[in-house]
Amino acid sequence: MTVLAIDQSTTSTSAFLYRPDGTSERVFARDHRQLYPQPGWVEHDAGEIVGNIRAALRVGKAAGATIFGLGNQGESCLAWDADTRVPLGPIIVWQDTRTTDTCAALKAAGHAALVRDRAGLQLSPYFSAAKLAWCLAHLPDARALLEAGRLRLGTSDAYFRDVLTGRFETDVATASRTSLMNLHSGTWDADLCALFGVPESCLPAITDCNGDLGQAEGLACQSAIVDQQAALFGHGVEKAGDTKVTFGTGAFALTLLGSTPPAGNTAALPTVAWREAGQMLHYALDGGIFTASSALNWARDLGLFRNFSDLAAPEGLPILARGLAFVPSLSGLGCPHWDEAAKGGWLGLTLDTRPQDMVQAVFEGVALRMAEILQEFERHGPIASPIGVDGGMARNRGFCQFLADVTGKSLRLSEYPERTALGVARLAARASGGDVAVTAPETILTPQADHSRLLAQFTTARKMVQSWGSGRV
């Protein structure tokens, strides 16, 4: 079989063809607009993205695809009319923070424990639940459609699947990112829905991550899964402790747990890794940085460099050891701090600071934030080494070497970086009794220096930007 894997990410829609002979190629790529109507608001045009997915399906079919799978960007969500399938507003992107006050009020009222115990998640505007409640409260016609039984609420994948296949469904891994699903049962939780004010009747059915998921543009949909879990599957993880890190718009680490979610409190996020058709749930720990490559894009827009090809691998003494720190909390701090008020910032600027120094500090800040997340993972059990690393920033060898040095972990770098698409393709193929494999050279990057002491210095900088964001300075 020839599999088309569509990776619908925060910034673009890409499609990759995987053939029976083991070859693969990207056959489609198209960016979509990033909309920022107000400070803290991040939106996408749902119709624009659906058009891009349809175009990818047509290109893939013409190139010989027989089945396809769809990866999605996770917590982004919207509301739409069940009859017309017309969105009531834009997609509210996972980076959006308009519901910060709502989440703070729920925390103040003592509801954080319920959300953590049932959904495994923090009370944060990052997740979908408060965004979906905002849609119901603020979008024109939402209440009227609810009363008429025509309102649909869901993550972006549920909308795409509804429009493309005619089936109003989401997969269990994506549903686990909403704060509305019971992590243990894999079903919508009535108490969580009531807490956030999201009618359960408006939510999609929850499916496995692969199997018979409908038809679109003449192709059978055989898999659907959130992007980070897809990347974990694409790294070929098999046992508890196997870990991957993806450096995209944000940076996200997942470590496989097995068939049981972790017991006790954790600042990392227990989440569903996947559930293949007819099998049991598999769980993972998740931790994310909200701005990774997006911090580099921002630095480029500031004029600190022109092209990513201009970024040489950092050499010599780390810039933090020379007194310059950057904390990449441009959209708040995620795991393990969960501080939406935190601001980004450079600390230690002097008259002789060069643009390339500031860019190196961005690289180091992202790596140090990831080191914090991996430290949190290891509070709950050892993580295996080497760690699989993929994504755009992983192409910078100096960045990866600093990450290895600051974590003390070996990294596995592959010449094939498209792990999200590979995971989507593997799940689709396995639903039909096959599998997908890509042969590509790999490099094991081992620690060359002990930079773990820099974490304490970075912690000081992080606390300072948190104080600034909270107004405590």
Side-chain angles (χ1 to χ4, degrees):
M1 73 192 74
T2 299
V3 184
L4 181 72
I6 298 175
D7 179 6
Q8 202 301 290
S9 74
T10 308
T11 58
S12 65
T13 300
S14 301
F16 299 81
L17 207 63
Y18 295 86
R19 300 185 180 89
D21 63 2
T23 61
S24 66
E25 66 172 316
R26 185 168 69 177
V27 295
F28 181 89
R30 187 176 294 171
D31 293 343
H32 56 262
R33 292 171 295 159
Q34 306 295 310
L35 309 173
Y36 306 100
Q38 297 185 37
W41 291 31
V42 188
E43 299 177 347
H44 294 155
D45 184 307
E48 179 185 8
I49 297 178
V50 167
N52 293 346
I53 297 173
R54 287 193 188 277
L57 287 167
R58 289 193 292 266
V59 169
K61 184 179 179 182
T66 53
I67 62 174
F68 81 96
L70 178 64
N72 74 82
Q73 56 180 275
E75 301 78 8
S76 303
C77 57
L78 70 160
W80 66 99
D81 186 326
D83 288 355
T84 66
R85 295 189 173 87
V86 173
L88 305 188
I91 294 172
I92 303 177
V93 181
W94 59 270
Q95 297 164 306
D96 190 286
T97 58
R98 74 186 66 186
T99 58
T100 296
D101 290 345
T102 299
C103 293
L106 289 170
K107 278 183 189 175
H111 297 302
L114 174 65
V115 176
R116 184 178 61 247
D117 293 344
R118 299 283 183 90
L121 303 179
Q122 301 286 326
L123 254 174
S124 169
Y126 172 41
F127 304 108
S128 311
K131 294 179 171 71
L132 293 171
W134 187 95
C135 289
L136 179 58
H138 293 91
L139 292 179
D141 301 325
R143 288 286 178 186
L145 287 174
L146 174 63
E147 293 173 3
R150 290 171 48 189
L151 179 65
R152 286 185 171 170
L153 298 168
T155 43
S156 60
D157 66 301
Y159 177 69
F160 302 147
R161 292 172 66 178
D162 191 18
V163 171
L164 296 168
T165 71
R167 290 165 55 166
F168 180 40
E169 298 172 339
T170 188
D171 70 276
V172 66
T174 304
S176 74
R177 311 299 297 170
T178 62
S179 295
L180 298 173
M181 193 193 84
N182 187 297
L183 190 65
H184 298 272
S185 67
T187 59
W188 299 123
D189 188 287
D191 292 334
L192 292 175
C193 290
L195 174 65
F196 286 98
V198 177
E200 188 176 348
S201 61
C202 299
L203 296 173
I206 298 176
T207 71
D208 296 327
C209 297
N210 65 359
D212 177 10
L213 303 180
Q215 298 271 333
E217 299 291 331
L219 293 175
C221 182
Q222 295 281 74
S223 69
I225 187 169
V226 62
D227 53 5
Q228 299 307 320
Q229 278 84 331
L232 187 67
F233 203 85
H235 275 279
V237 302
E238 296 178 349
K239 61 184 184 299
D242 283 353
T243 303
K244 73 89 191 174
V245 179
T246 299
F247 291 98
T249 302
F252 298 91
L254 281 91
T255 186
L256 193 65
L257 296 174
S259 59
T260 306
N265 294 338
T266 171
L269 304 174
T271 190
V272 171
W274 51 73
R275 185 178 66 202
E276 295 192 72
Q279 299 186 24
M280 66 178 62
L281 286 168
H282 282 74
Y283 294 94
L285 271 182
D286 166 272
I289 305 168
F290 297 151
T291 46
S293 293
S294 55
L296 277 178
N297 290 333
W298 170 78
R300 181 188 58 186
D301 292 343
L302 290 179
L304 296 180
F305 67 97
R306 289 186 177 181
N307 301 303
F308 289 106
S309 58
D310 297 335
L311 296 175
E315 296 179 353
L317 195 66
I319 202 70
L320 181 56
R322 289 177 269 162
L324 179 61
F326 179 76
V327 183
S329 44
L330 300 172
S331 296
L333 282 168
C335 178
H337 312 294
W338 301 106
D339 184 353
E340 292 84 15
K343 308 299 181 186
W346 281 283
L347 294 93
L349 295 169
T350 62
L351 288 173
D352 62 351
T353 299
R354 303 167 299 169
Q356 56 264 45
D357 296 332
M358 298 173 74
V359 174
Q360 184 174 341
V362 173
F363 274 112
E364 292 183 9
V366 172
L368 287 155
R369 280 286 294 115
M370 184 52 63
E372 291 185 323
I373 291 170
L374 296 176
Q375 268 193 344
E376 178 63 24
F377 283 3
E378 291 208 291
R379 289 183 55 242
H380 305 279
I383 59 178
S385 182
I387 296 169
V389 178
D390 65 287
M393 294 180 72
R395 298 188 184 101
N396 188 293
R397 186 55 60 92
F399 167 73
C400 292
Q401 186 63 63
F402 181 78
L403 179 63
D405 293 344
V406 81
T407 61
K409 301 289 185 183
S410 296
L411 309 180
R412 186 178 70 251
L413 309 178
S414 173
E415 294 297 319
Y416 188 80
E418 304 297 343
R419 295 291 158 170
T420 296
L422 180 57
V424 169
R426 289 193 66 214
L427 282 165
R430 284 162 66 100
S432 299
D435 208 337
V436 167
V438 171
T439 302
E442 291 186 342
T443 300
I444 303 299
L445 204 63
T446 60
Q448 299 298 309
D450 182 5
H451 289 327
S452 58
R453 68 189 185 282
L454 294 178
L455 270 171
Q457 191 173 346
F458 180 76
T459 297
T460 300
R462 173 182 50 77
K463 289 180 177 178
M464 290 176 72
V465 299
Q466 287 183 270
S467 296
W468 181 270
S470 67
R472 294 193 300 268
V473 292

